[in-house]
Amino acid sequence: MPVLTPEMFTTLARPGPRLPALTSWLRATVWSQTRFESLDPESYLSEGEKQVYQLEELLSAAADRFYDELAGAAAQKSSILDGASLSQPTAFVIFDGTSLREVPLFLRMAAQSGHSVIEQGVAYSALPSNTVEFVEQRLLGKAIGPKELPHRKELKEKGVCTYYFDAPIRTHQISPDENRTLILWSSFPDITYQDSTARFPHHFAGILPLFETVWKNTVMQVPRGYRIIVTSDHGYIFFGAGLSSNRRSDAADVVDQDRSKRFAENEPLPASDRDLQIFPERRLAMLRGRIKNRPKGPAANRLYRHGGLSLMEMLLPWLVFERK
Protein backbone atom coordinates (compact mmCIF):
# COMPACT_ATOMS: atom_id res chain seq x y z
CA MET A 1 0.00 0.00 0.00
CA PRO A 2 1.58 3.35 -1.02
CA VAL A 3 2.00 5.80 1.84
CA LEU A 4 2.08 9.00 -0.20
CA THR A 5 -1.63 9.12 -0.97
CA PRO A 6 -3.32 12.44 -1.83
CA GLU A 7 -4.60 12.58 1.74
CA MET A 8 -1.14 12.02 3.21
CA PHE A 9 0.38 14.59 0.85
CA THR A 10 -2.17 17.14 2.07
CA THR A 11 -1.33 16.28 5.69
CA LEU A 12 2.40 16.72 5.15
CA ALA A 13 2.13 19.85 2.99
CA ARG A 14 -0.29 21.96 4.97
CA PRO A 15 0.94 24.30 7.71
CA GLY A 16 0.34 23.57 11.35
CA PRO A 17 0.73 20.48 13.53
CA ARG A 18 1.09 17.15 11.76
CA LEU A 19 1.36 14.87 14.78
CA PRO A 20 -2.38 14.41 15.46
CA ALA A 21 -3.13 13.37 11.87
CA LEU A 22 -0.15 11.01 11.67
CA THR A 23 -1.04 9.45 15.01
CA SER A 24 -4.58 8.83 13.78
CA TRP A 25 -3.20 7.26 10.60
CA LEU A 26 -1.02 4.89 12.61
CA ARG A 27 -3.90 3.81 14.84
CA ALA A 28 -6.63 3.56 12.20
CA THR A 29 -4.65 2.27 9.22
CA VAL A 30 -1.27 0.76 10.06
CA TRP A 31 -1.88 -0.84 13.47
CA SER A 32 -5.63 -1.31 13.05
CA GLN A 33 -7.81 -4.04 14.50
CA THR A 34 -8.69 -5.17 10.97
CA ARG A 35 -5.06 -5.71 9.96
CA PHE A 36 -4.26 -7.45 13.22
CA GLU A 37 -7.17 -9.89 12.93
CA SER A 38 -6.74 -10.61 9.20
CA LEU A 39 -2.96 -11.10 8.94
CA ASP A 40 -0.52 -13.54 10.46
CA PRO A 41 1.67 -11.87 13.13
CA GLU A 42 4.83 -11.65 11.01
CA SER A 43 2.98 -10.03 8.09
CA TYR A 44 1.20 -7.65 10.45
CA LEU A 45 4.58 -6.61 11.88
CA SER A 46 6.66 -6.39 8.70
CA GLU A 47 4.02 -4.80 6.45
CA GLY A 48 3.07 -2.30 9.14
CA GLU A 49 6.68 -1.35 9.82
CA LYS A 50 7.22 -0.94 6.07
CA GLN A 51 4.48 1.68 5.97
CA VAL A 52 5.98 3.46 8.99
CA TYR A 53 9.42 3.29 7.33
CA GLN A 54 8.10 4.87 4.13
CA LEU A 55 6.40 7.64 6.07
CA GLU A 56 9.45 8.42 8.20
CA GLU A 57 11.69 8.54 5.15
CA LEU A 58 9.29 11.08 3.66
CA LEU A 59 9.34 13.08 6.86
CA SER A 60 13.13 13.03 7.04
CA ALA A 61 13.49 14.14 3.43
CA ALA A 62 10.76 16.76 3.18
CA ALA A 63 9.27 17.58 6.59
CA ASP A 64 11.95 16.96 9.19
CA ARG A 65 10.54 19.66 11.50
CA PHE A 66 7.96 17.04 12.40
CA TYR A 67 10.53 15.60 14.81
CA ASP A 68 10.63 18.95 16.62
CA GLU A 69 6.87 18.58 17.06
CA LEU A 70 7.20 15.01 18.34
CA ALA A 71 9.98 15.99 20.75
CA GLY A 72 7.98 19.00 21.95
CA ALA A 73 4.93 16.86 22.69
CA ALA A 74 7.03 14.39 24.67
CA ALA A 75 8.77 17.16 26.61
CA GLN A 76 5.44 18.64 27.78
CA LYS A 77 4.10 15.44 29.31
CA SER A 78 4.12 15.26 33.11
CA SER A 79 3.53 12.42 35.56
CA ILE A 80 1.31 9.55 34.45
CA LEU A 81 -0.28 9.73 37.90
CA ASP A 82 -2.03 12.87 36.68
CA GLY A 83 -4.25 10.47 34.76
CA ALA A 84 -5.69 9.03 37.98
CA SER A 85 -9.42 9.55 38.42
CA LEU A 86 -10.73 11.65 41.29
CA SER A 87 -14.06 9.81 41.32
CA GLN A 88 -12.83 6.22 41.50
CA PRO A 89 -9.57 4.36 42.24
CA THR A 90 -7.18 3.93 39.32
CA ALA A 91 -4.77 1.13 38.45
CA PHE A 92 -1.94 1.76 35.98
CA VAL A 93 -0.75 -1.38 34.18
CA ILE A 94 2.55 -0.76 32.39
CA PHE A 95 3.68 -3.29 29.82
CA ASP A 96 7.36 -2.43 29.45
CA GLY A 97 8.36 -2.05 25.80
CA THR A 98 4.95 -2.04 24.07
CA SER A 99 3.95 0.36 21.32
CA LEU A 100 0.90 1.14 19.20
CA ARG A 101 1.32 -2.13 17.32
CA GLU A 102 0.11 -4.06 20.39
CA VAL A 103 -3.08 -2.02 20.86
CA PRO A 104 -5.32 -4.39 18.83
CA LEU A 105 -4.11 -7.28 20.98
CA PHE A 106 -4.95 -5.36 24.17
CA LEU A 107 -8.42 -4.55 22.86
CA ARG A 108 -9.05 -8.18 21.97
CA MET A 109 -7.93 -9.41 25.39
CA ALA A 110 -10.03 -6.74 27.08
CA ALA A 111 -13.15 -7.93 25.27
CA GLN A 112 -12.38 -11.56 26.09
CA SER A 113 -11.87 -10.81 29.79
CA GLY A 114 -15.01 -8.72 30.20
CA HIS A 115 -13.53 -5.20 30.23
CA SER A 116 -15.21 -2.23 28.61
CA VAL A 117 -13.12 0.30 26.68
CA ILE A 118 -13.67 3.77 28.15
CA GLU A 119 -10.97 5.66 26.28
CA GLN A 120 -8.37 5.09 23.56
CA GLY A 121 -5.51 7.56 23.32
CA VAL A 122 -1.79 7.97 22.85
CA ALA A 123 0.94 8.61 25.40
CA TYR A 124 4.60 9.56 24.87
CA SER A 125 7.84 8.03 25.99
CA ALA A 126 10.47 10.05 27.80
CA LEU A 127 13.48 11.79 26.25
CA PRO A 128 15.37 9.57 25.53
CA SER A 129 12.93 6.71 25.08
CA ASN A 130 14.30 4.40 27.76
CA THR A 131 12.85 2.87 30.93
CA VAL A 132 14.93 4.64 33.58
CA GLU A 133 14.31 8.03 31.97
CA PHE A 134 10.59 7.27 31.89
CA VAL A 135 10.59 6.53 35.64
CA GLU A 136 12.39 9.82 36.26
CA GLN A 137 10.38 12.04 33.91
CA ARG A 138 6.92 10.47 34.16
CA LEU A 139 6.67 8.91 37.57
CA LEU A 140 9.15 9.44 40.39
CA GLY A 141 11.51 12.29 39.55
CA LYS A 142 14.47 9.97 40.12
CA ALA A 143 16.33 7.80 37.63
CA ILE A 144 15.89 4.30 39.01
CA GLY A 145 14.81 0.94 37.63
CA PRO A 146 11.13 -0.05 37.91
CA LYS A 147 11.86 -3.07 40.11
CA GLU A 148 12.77 -0.60 42.88
CA LEU A 149 9.42 1.22 42.73
CA PRO A 150 7.56 -1.02 45.24
CA HIS A 151 9.97 0.13 47.96
CA ARG A 152 9.88 3.88 47.31
CA LYS A 153 8.41 5.89 50.15
CA GLU A 154 7.71 8.80 47.77
CA LEU A 155 5.00 6.72 46.14
CA LYS A 156 3.69 5.21 49.37
CA GLU A 157 3.27 8.69 50.85
CA LYS A 158 1.05 9.56 47.88
CA GLY A 159 -1.10 6.51 48.49
CA VAL A 160 0.40 4.61 45.54
CA CYS A 161 1.00 0.88 45.87
CA THR A 162 3.34 -0.63 43.28
CA TYR A 163 3.83 -4.22 42.15
CA TYR A 164 6.68 -5.33 39.89
CA PHE A 165 6.36 -8.41 37.69
CA ASP A 166 9.79 -9.67 36.69
CA ALA A 167 8.53 -12.54 34.51
CA PRO A 168 5.38 -13.41 32.53
CA ILE A 169 4.37 -16.02 35.11
CA ARG A 170 4.95 -13.75 38.13
CA THR A 171 1.84 -13.21 40.26
CA HIS A 172 1.01 -10.94 43.20
CA GLN A 173 -1.87 -10.94 45.63
CA ILE A 174 -3.53 -7.54 45.17
CA SER A 175 -5.92 -6.67 47.96
CA PRO A 176 -8.74 -4.17 47.31
CA ASP A 177 -8.38 -0.73 48.86
CA GLU A 178 -10.37 2.10 47.33
CA ASN A 179 -8.06 4.72 48.82
CA ARG A 180 -5.01 3.52 46.90
CA THR A 181 -3.73 4.07 43.38
CA LEU A 182 -2.13 0.95 41.94
CA ILE A 183 0.85 0.58 39.62
CA LEU A 184 1.39 -2.87 38.12
CA TRP A 185 4.67 -2.79 36.16
CA SER A 186 5.36 -5.82 33.98
CA SER A 187 8.87 -6.34 32.62
CA PHE A 188 7.22 -8.17 29.70
CA PRO A 189 7.67 -7.92 26.76
CA ASP A 190 10.84 -5.85 27.20
CA ILE A 191 12.73 -8.72 28.82
CA THR A 192 12.22 -10.85 25.71
CA TYR A 193 13.99 -8.33 23.49
CA GLN A 194 17.23 -9.14 25.30
CA ASP A 195 16.82 -12.70 24.07
CA SER A 196 18.62 -14.27 21.13
CA THR A 197 15.26 -14.66 19.36
CA ALA A 198 15.13 -10.86 18.97
CA ARG A 199 17.48 -11.39 16.04
CA PHE A 200 14.54 -12.61 13.97
CA PRO A 201 11.21 -11.13 12.83
CA HIS A 202 9.24 -14.12 14.16
CA HIS A 203 10.11 -12.99 17.69
CA PHE A 204 6.95 -10.88 17.61
CA ALA A 205 4.79 -13.88 16.75
CA GLY A 206 6.46 -15.90 19.48
CA ILE A 207 5.65 -13.51 22.31
CA LEU A 208 1.99 -12.90 21.45
CA PRO A 209 0.67 -15.97 23.33
CA LEU A 210 2.57 -14.89 26.45
CA PHE A 211 0.62 -11.63 26.54
CA GLU A 212 -2.45 -13.60 27.59
CA THR A 213 -0.58 -14.98 30.60
CA VAL A 214 0.68 -11.55 31.59
CA TRP A 215 -2.79 -10.05 31.11
CA LYS A 216 -4.28 -12.63 33.48
CA ASN A 217 -1.61 -11.91 36.08
CA THR A 218 -1.94 -8.12 35.90
CA VAL A 219 -5.09 -6.58 34.42
CA MET A 220 -7.39 -9.37 35.55
CA GLN A 221 -6.06 -9.19 39.12
CA VAL A 222 -7.05 -5.55 39.56
CA PRO A 223 -9.91 -5.43 42.10
CA ARG A 224 -13.40 -4.66 40.87
CA GLY A 225 -14.40 -1.02 40.88
CA TYR A 226 -11.03 0.20 39.62
CA ARG A 227 -10.51 2.20 36.49
CA ILE A 228 -7.62 0.51 34.62
CA ILE A 229 -5.13 2.39 32.42
CA VAL A 230 -2.93 0.21 30.20
CA THR A 231 0.16 1.98 28.89
CA SER A 232 3.92 1.61 28.37
CA ASP A 233 7.25 3.33 28.99
CA HIS A 234 8.72 3.09 25.48
CA GLY A 235 8.18 1.25 22.23
CA TYR A 236 10.46 -0.67 19.92
CA ILE A 237 11.46 0.01 16.35
CA PHE A 238 11.77 -3.08 14.14
CA PHE A 239 14.76 -3.09 11.78
CA GLY A 240 13.90 -5.96 9.46
CA ALA A 241 15.28 -6.20 5.93
CA GLY A 242 14.71 -2.96 4.02
CA LEU A 243 13.21 -1.15 7.03
CA SER A 244 16.11 1.15 7.91
CA SER A 245 17.14 4.32 6.12
CA ASN A 246 19.49 3.66 3.21
CA ARG A 247 20.93 7.16 2.95
CA ARG A 248 24.43 7.94 4.17
CA SER A 249 24.52 9.41 7.66
CA ASP A 250 27.11 9.85 10.39
CA ALA A 251 24.47 10.46 13.05
CA ALA A 252 24.84 7.02 14.66
CA ASP A 253 28.59 7.59 15.07
CA VAL A 254 27.87 10.83 16.93
CA VAL A 255 25.88 8.91 19.58
CA ASP A 256 28.45 6.08 19.72
CA GLN A 257 26.22 3.68 17.76
CA ASP A 258 23.55 3.87 20.45
CA ARG A 259 20.15 5.44 19.75
CA SER A 260 20.81 8.37 22.06
CA LYS A 261 23.62 9.92 24.06
CA ARG A 262 23.98 12.34 26.95
CA PHE A 263 27.05 14.54 26.64
CA ALA A 264 29.20 15.44 29.61
CA GLU A 265 29.70 19.09 30.50
CA ASN A 266 33.19 19.06 29.03
CA GLU A 267 32.06 17.46 25.76
CA PRO A 268 31.03 19.63 22.82
CA LEU A 269 27.51 19.12 21.62
CA PRO A 270 27.15 17.79 18.06
CA ALA A 271 26.49 20.08 15.16
CA SER A 272 23.02 20.38 13.69
CA ASP A 273 22.08 17.30 11.66
CA ARG A 274 18.74 16.34 10.09
CA ASP A 275 19.16 12.81 11.50
CA LEU A 276 19.73 13.99 15.09
CA GLN A 277 17.39 15.64 17.57
CA ILE A 278 19.56 17.76 19.84
CA PHE A 279 18.41 19.06 23.23
CA PRO A 280 21.09 21.53 24.39
CA GLU A 281 19.49 22.09 27.82
CA ARG A 282 19.52 18.32 28.45
CA ARG A 283 22.90 17.80 26.74
CA LEU A 284 21.15 15.05 24.84
CA ALA A 285 21.09 13.85 21.24
CA MET A 286 18.69 11.24 19.84
CA LEU A 287 18.60 9.51 16.46
CA ARG A 288 15.64 10.57 14.35
CA GLY A 289 13.45 8.17 12.43
CA ARG A 290 14.75 5.01 10.79
CA ILE A 291 18.50 5.64 11.08
CA LYS A 292 19.90 2.28 12.15
CA ASN A 293 22.60 2.12 14.80
CA ARG A 294 25.12 -0.71 14.95
CA PRO A 295 25.87 -1.55 18.58
CA LYS A 296 28.66 -3.92 19.49
CA GLY A 297 28.32 -7.12 21.46
CA PRO A 298 25.17 -9.24 21.90
CA ALA A 299 22.84 -6.41 20.82
CA ALA A 300 24.46 -6.13 17.38
CA ASN A 301 22.17 -8.66 15.70
CA ARG A 302 18.91 -7.75 17.41
CA LEU A 303 16.31 -6.33 15.08
CA TYR A 304 14.30 -4.64 17.85
CA ARG A 305 15.79 -1.46 19.38
CA HIS A 306 14.69 1.56 21.35
CA GLY A 307 16.03 4.81 22.77
CA GLY A 308 15.68 7.07 19.74
CA LEU A 309 13.13 9.55 18.41
CA SER A 310 10.93 7.63 16.02
CA LEU A 311 7.19 7.01 15.83
CA MET A 312 7.47 3.43 17.04
CA GLU A 313 9.76 4.29 19.94
CA MET A 314 7.95 7.40 21.14
CA LEU A 315 4.20 6.80 20.66
CA LEU A 316 2.63 4.58 23.29
CA PRO A 317 -0.81 3.11 24.03
CA TRP A 318 -3.08 4.81 26.54
CA LEU A 319 -6.14 2.63 27.03
CA VAL A 320 -8.71 3.05 29.78
CA PHE A 321 -10.80 0.01 30.79
CA GLU A 322 -13.43 -0.86 33.34
CA ARG A 323 -14.55 -4.36 34.24
CA LYS A 324 -18.12 -4.98 33.14
Side-chain angles (χ1 to χ4, degrees):
M1 179 184 295
V3 168
L4 192 55
T5 60
E7 294 79 12
M8 183 61 72
F9 179 82
T10 300
T11 296
L12 297 179
R14 68 187 176 205
R18 300 182 178 94
L19 184 56
L22 297 186
T23 300
S24 296
W25 174 76
L26 286 171
R27 295 168 60 197
T29 302
V30 181
W31 309 118
S32 68
Q33 201 74 34
T34 300
R35 287 191 66 253
F36 180 75
E37 301 293 353
S38 62
L39 296 174
D40 64 271
E42 287 189 45
S43 297
Y44 171 76
L45 169 70
S46 59
E47 292 175 16
E49 288 280 342
K50 183 177 181 180
Q51 292 185 64
V52 180
Y53 157 77
Q54 292 172 346
L55 172 64
E56 293 215 69
E57 288 296 273
L58 278 173
L59 291 171
S60 298
D64 63 342
R65 289 187 179 179
F66 165 79
Y67 292 103
D68 296 333
E69 185 181 347
L70 179 58
Q76 292 174 16
K77 295 301 175 181
S78 55
S79 172
I80 64 168
L81 296 176
D82 294 344
S85 172
L86 297 177
S87 59
Q88 67 182 122
T90 301
F92 296 90
V93 182
I94 299 173
F95 290 97
D96 199 317
T98 56
S99 64
L100 296 183
R101 73 169 73 90
E102 283 82 21
V103 167
L105 175 62
F106 292 155
L107 294 176
R108 185 173 74 183
M109 291 190 297
Q112 292 172 344
S113 58
H115 290 80
S116 300
V117 181
I118 307 302
E119 178 185 338
Q120 295 187 49
V122 171
Y124 297 90
S125 186
L127 300 168
S129 50
N130 290 315
T131 298
V132 170
E133 283 78 5
F134 182 89
V135 172
E136 179 180 22
Q137 297 171 36
R138 298 280 190 271
L139 191 54
L140 192 66
K142 295 182 179 179
I144 63 171
K147 66 181 179 181
E148 299 179 47
L149 292 176
H151 312 294
R152 301 302 301 196
K153 65 178 183 179
E154 299 97 317
L155 292 175
K156 294 178 181 178
E157 289 172 350
K158 294 180 180 179
V160 179
C161 184
T162 306
Y163 299 87
Y164 181 69
F165 299 77
D166 59 359
I169 61 172
R170 176 68 61 209
T171 61
H172 289 287
Q173 188 70 35
I174 303 173
S175 58
D177 185 341
E178 294 186 357
N179 295 318
R180 294 189 307 178
T181 296
L182 300 177
I183 296 175
L184 284 65
W185 189 302
S186 173
S187 61
F188 180 87
D190 188 78
I191 53 171
T192 72
Y193 292 111
Q194 315 305 317
D195 219 47
S196 60
T197 58
R199 294 179 297 163
F200 308 104
H202 63 244
H203 176 84
F204 178 72
I207 65 175
L208 288 184
L210 283 174
F211 269 104
E212 294 188 9
T213 300
V214 180
W215 185 271
K216 291 177 182 177
N217 292 336
T218 55
V219 174
M220 292 180 66
Q221 299 308 311
V222 174
R224 289 188 180 275
Y226 269 78
R227 177 173 171 265
I228 303 171
I229 296 177
V230 171
T231 187
S232 178
D233 57 338
H234 62 78
Y236 270 89
I237 193 169
F238 173 65
F239 283 122
L243 297 180
S244 60
S245 180
N246 57 13
R247 64 182 179 275
R248 290 184 57 84
S249 176
D250 297 324
D253 289 330
V254 174
V255 293
D256 300 335
Q257 290 300 325
D258 204 340
R259 296 200 57 74
S260 63
K261 178 181 177 180
R262 289 193 182 276
F263 292 80
E265 291 295 331
N266 60 349
E267 284 186 283
L269 290 173
S272 178
D273 188 311
R274 68 172 180 170
D275 294 323
L276 283 175
Q277 189 74 27
I278 302 171
F279 304 86
E281 70 286 356
R282 299 172 185 250
R283 303 199 62 78
L284 169 68
M286 297 173 65
L287 289 182
R288 285 175 163 181
R290 309 294 297 205
I291 295 296
K292 187 175 182 178
N293 59 314
R294 292 175 172 79
K296 297 179 181 179
N301 294 324
R302 293 177 191 150
L303 296 179
Y304 302 84
R305 297 177 192 166
H306 70 93
L309 191 80
S310 74
L311 292 171
M312 295 313 301
E313 293 165 288
M314 293 298 302
L315 297 180
L316 311 174
W318 183 269
L319 303 171
V320 183
F321 301 118
E322 287 182 358
R323 188 176 298 182
K324 295 179 183 177

